[in-house]
Structure formats: structure tokens, C-alpha cells
Amino acid sequence: MRVDWYRIVFELIDMRSFSNLWFWIILAVQWSMTSHFVLGVPYDLLQRARRGHEQAQEDLEALARIKVNRLLYITHVSGMWIVGFVAFVLSVLLILGFFYNIEFAQAVFCLVFPMAIVGLLTLGDAHRIADGEYQGQALQRRLLFLRVKTQAVGVLAILFTSMWGMYQNLQIGALG
């Protein structure tokens, strides 16, 4: 009796998006990294600055200034092109995924759409920080609040993605 390894592996590892372990690993890593690096500033640096480490506060302000200036420069130079491209990609994913029922497009949409929302929140706070009203503890509070908003978007995105993924897996299971 010949063993068909290809068939066994693909039966063991379902290659559809929502039942694929790699999709869920990517989702977890995406939100872990997104909530750790708020506006490009690592959370541990923010925590050290909040504890009163003077060097950490200087590093926090320097890193925030660098990241804000870079983000605003990119936005001013090619912001409209980026908005158009992101809107196009999200529209294509939305139509392919939810109107034509292509599961891969649904999965990518569930990964990309919440990140677009986080990008808008980050851009708004970058403009506020660039106006110069946030330094010292005010900058710390602004970054912490942005982190909370990012985590709230992440929780909602993970909740929606897991519910939609379960629904898709149950639909495939009912049909198969």
C-alpha cells in the first residue's frame, strides 16, 4: 500500500484561510506588534519614561519626534496617492471577499482594514504631536491613549475576524 504524503498533509493542514493556523499566527503577531510599537515608539521605552528615567524620556521624545516628522513628510509628499491606493486595495478585497465569496480576500481584508483605521488614528495623533503641544508627561499620556485606541481596534478586529472565520468554517463544514 502506497502512502500519499501530499494528500495526508493537505488533509491534516487545511489550506483555506480561516482554518489555517498560519493565518491566526499572523493575526496575533500583527496585533501584538501594532500595540507594542505605537507611533513607532516601543511600549517598554514609554514605561521607563513614565517611571521617571530621564534618559528614557529624552529617547522617547527624540524617537517620537523622528517618527512623527517622517510620517508627516510621507503624508505630505504622497498622501493622496497612498489614500487612493489603500482605498483601491480595500475596495477590491471587499468586493472579491464579500460579494464574490473568495475566502482569501476576506481574510486579507480582515487583516488590512483594521490596520487602515489604526493608520488614520496614528496620523491624527502625529499631527497633534507635531503641533508642539505634547512634550514630557503630556506626550506620554498621548501615546498611552493612542495605544488604548489601537488595542480597542485590535480587540474589535480580532472579535470580528474570529466570528467571521468560525462562520466560514461552519459553512464549509455544513456543505462538505
Side-chain angles (χ1 to χ4, degrees):
M1 181 168 157
R2 184 174 165 264
V3 176
D4 186 8
W5 288 104
Y6 183 77
R7 185 183 55 78
I8 291 172
V9 167
F10 278 93
E11 281 181 8
L12 186 63
I13 303 171
D14 192 359
M15 298 309 281
R16 292 178 301 112
S17 299
F18 291 113
S19 59
N20 192 332
L21 177 63
W22 289 107
F23 172 78
W24 298 104
I25 291 172
I26 289 170
L27 183 70
V29 169
Q30 171 185 327
W31 285 108
S32 174
M33 296 296 289
T34 300
S35 68
H36 181 71
F37 291 99
V38 175
L39 199 62
V41 177
Y43 183 65
D44 59 298
L45 179 63
L46 181 58
Q47 286 299 97
R48 280 185 283 142
R50 291 187 71 211
R51 289 189 202 113
H53 291 93
E54 190 174 310
Q55 182 61 45
Q57 181 61 37
E58 290 175 17
D59 292 346
L60 174 76
E61 289 180 3
L63 188 56
R65 182 181 42 63
I66 291 167
K67 296 291 186 172
V68 163
N69 289 341
R70 183 173 183 271
L71 180 63
L72 294 180
Y73 173 76
I74 291 170
T75 302
H76 290 141
V77 168
S78 57
M80 295 305 283
W81 285 101
I82 293 171
V83 168
F85 180 74
V86 169
F88 172 75
V89 169
L90 288 174
S91 298
V92 167
L93 290 172
L94 182 72
I95 291 168
L96 288 176
F98 297 98
F99 291 108
Y100 288 104
N101 205 26
I102 298 173
E103 187 175 329
F104 181 75
Q106 293 172 359
V108 174
F109 183 83
C110 288
L111 291 173
V112 175
F113 179 70
M115 293 306 293
I117 294 171
V118 169
L120 290 174
L121 293 173
T122 300
L123 186 60
D125 279 355
H127 278 288
R128 288 185 193 94
I129 292 170
D131 290 342
E133 58 190 74
Y134 295 102
Q135 294 178 357
Q137 290 185 348
L139 177 62
Q140 294 172 11
R141 283 191 300 274
R142 172 56 52 191
L143 291 175
L144 281 173
F145 187 59
L146 179 58
R147 184 171 194 256
V148 168
K149 291 188 290 188
T150 299
Q151 288 175 331
V153 171
V155 166
L156 293 174
I158 291 170
L159 178 67
F160 174 80
T161 302
S162 61
M163 297 298 282
W164 186 258
M166 279 190 283
Y167 172 74
Q168 289 297 326
N169 288 335
L170 289 173
Q171 288 291 85
I172 296 299
L175 296 175

